[in-house]
């Protein structure tokens, strides 16, 4: 085997390795700021982020009509390339939230999420961001994604159906309002990221998770296999 052939083979192998690792490296780079001990949540400046707050106004009107209370608008983890902008409302008396958000890397894409906490180990998410399907199933993370759904009544209906399913199959019910949203979000985001990084060869398994963005889109938790609660902490 001559030197040119060896060089070509080595180049192909190295290229294949780089291609295989690229999605995992990209995910690691975007997720790493959430694990920093300095990760913080900061209130959004209403003048600087007027475009975002204007875009989320219809969500706020829906929340107001349904008796939800405004919590605040934030950036997390503030000051990083992975920064997420959020506006948040809370259902009266419960750790149930309505969140309108966008990612700094996708400033023109807006998403909506209903999130219900059952206890410190289990929660339900109903979202419109297909990106969340790139994350693997983990005990306690019960979620369903309806991409690009702009009708909040329909999204809320699906979330309520998910809550009924959690109560019926796992005896999980929304818990009373507890600690402030900032602490819940910071700790919860870090817990999900740590769960991903704890999976063996997670940086290669990203390729296996990618097809989920198609196969699990618009599939409610009532028909999802593999979703299961975690050991309760509280």
């Amino acid at each position: 085997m001559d030197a040119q052939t060896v060089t070509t083979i080595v180049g192909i192998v190295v290229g294949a390795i780089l291609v295989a690792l690229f999605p995992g490296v990209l995910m690691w780079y975007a997720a790493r700021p959430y694990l920093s001990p300095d990760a913080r949540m900061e209130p959004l400046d209403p003048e600087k982020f007027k475009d975002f707050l204007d875009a989320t106004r219809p969500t706020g009107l829906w929340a107001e009509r349904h008796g939800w209370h405004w919590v605040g608008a934030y950036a997390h983890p503030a000051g990083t390339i992975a920064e997420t902008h959020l506006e948040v409302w809370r259902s009266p008396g419960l750790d149930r939230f309505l969140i309108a958000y966008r990612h700094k890397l996708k400033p023109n894409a807006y998403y909506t999420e209903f999130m219900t906490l059952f206890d410190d180990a289990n929660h339900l998410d109903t979202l419109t961001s297909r990106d969340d399907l790139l994350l693997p199933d983990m005990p306690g993370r019960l979620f369903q994604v309806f991409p690009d759904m702009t009708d909040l009544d329909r999204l809320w209906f699906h979330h309520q159906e998910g809550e009924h399913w959690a109560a019926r199959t796992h005896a999980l019910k929304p818990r009373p309002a507890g600690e402030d949203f900032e602490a819940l979000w910071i700790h919860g985001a870090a817990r999900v990221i740590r769960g991903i990084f704890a999976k063996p060869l997670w940086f290669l398994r990203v390729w296996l998770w990618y097809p989920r963005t198609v196969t699990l889109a618009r599939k409610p938790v009532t028909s999802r296999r593999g979703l299961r609660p975690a050991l309760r902490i509280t």
Side-chain angles (χ1 to χ4, degrees):
M1 187 179 298
D2 58 33
Q4 184 175 356
T5 302
V6 172
T7 301
T8 301
I9 293 174
V10 170
I12 292 173
V13 171
V14 171
I17 292 173
L18 291 176
V19 169
L21 293 177
F22 179 75
V25 171
L26 189 63
M27 181 179 286
W28 175 83
Y29 184 72
R32 189 170 52 91
Y34 288 87
L35 299 178
S36 170
D38 298 323
R40 66 192 189 281
M41 216 163 191
E42 289 185 354
L44 290 184
D45 182 333
E47 294 300 321
K48 184 178 178 181
F49 292 95
K50 185 177 184 299
D51 63 325
F52 172 67
L53 298 176
D54 285 347
T56 60
R57 185 169 292 122
T59 307
L61 293 174
W62 185 95
E64 183 178 331
R65 287 197 305 271
H66 290 78
W68 295 54
H69 306 311
W70 188 73
V71 175
Y74 309 94
H76 176 256
T80 72
I81 193 171
E83 186 177 88
T84 299
H85 305 140
L86 313 94
E87 190 166 15
V88 185
W89 297 262
R90 186 198 293 262
S91 178
L94 296 172
D95 272 343
R96 179 197 286 138
F97 301 93
L98 169 59
I99 306 165
Y101 65 99
R102 71 178 179 186
H103 301 297
K104 187 176 182 178
L105 294 174
K106 296 181 178 181
N108 297 318
Y110 298 89
Y111 306 105
T112 309
E113 172 181 357
F114 284 102
M115 179 177 69
T116 298
L117 278 69
F118 301 117
D119 50 51
D120 284 350
N122 296 281
H123 69 279
L124 170 70
D125 288 332
T126 302
L127 316 97
T128 61
S129 171
R130 193 184 295 268
D131 293 344
D132 278 78
L133 290 169
L134 284 170
L135 307 180
D137 293 340
M138 290 178 280
R141 183 174 180 262
L142 314 173
F143 72 105
Q144 51 191 352
V145 177
F146 300 91
D148 307 318
M149 183 176 286
T150 58
D151 187 337
L152 279 178
D153 288 322
R154 287 182 61 201
L155 196 67
W156 173 231
F157 170 80
H158 286 300
H159 190 74
Q160 288 180 299
E161 288 289 292
E163 285 189 356
H164 296 157
W165 167 84
R168 185 173 64 252
T169 60
H170 302 299
L172 295 171
K173 295 182 179 180
R175 74 181 185 184
E179 60 184 312
D180 62 272
F181 176 80
E182 295 99 307
L184 290 172
W185 186 266
I186 290 173
H187 297 154
R191 185 169 63 245
V192 170
I193 298 301
R194 283 195 298 268
I196 295 171
F197 290 175
K199 291 186 176 293
L201 298 176
W202 69 267
F203 46 87
L204 294 177
R205 294 168 71 182
V206 172
W207 289 99
L208 300 178
W209 299 334
Y210 184 79
R212 294 158 52 91
T213 62
V214 175
T215 59
L216 296 182
R218 300 178 181 85
K219 183 172 288 190
V221 290
T222 53
S223 61
R224 287 279 311 275
R225 294 183 178 181
L227 293 181
R228 63 187 188 280
L231 179 67
R232 298 189 196 191
I233 300 174
T234 61

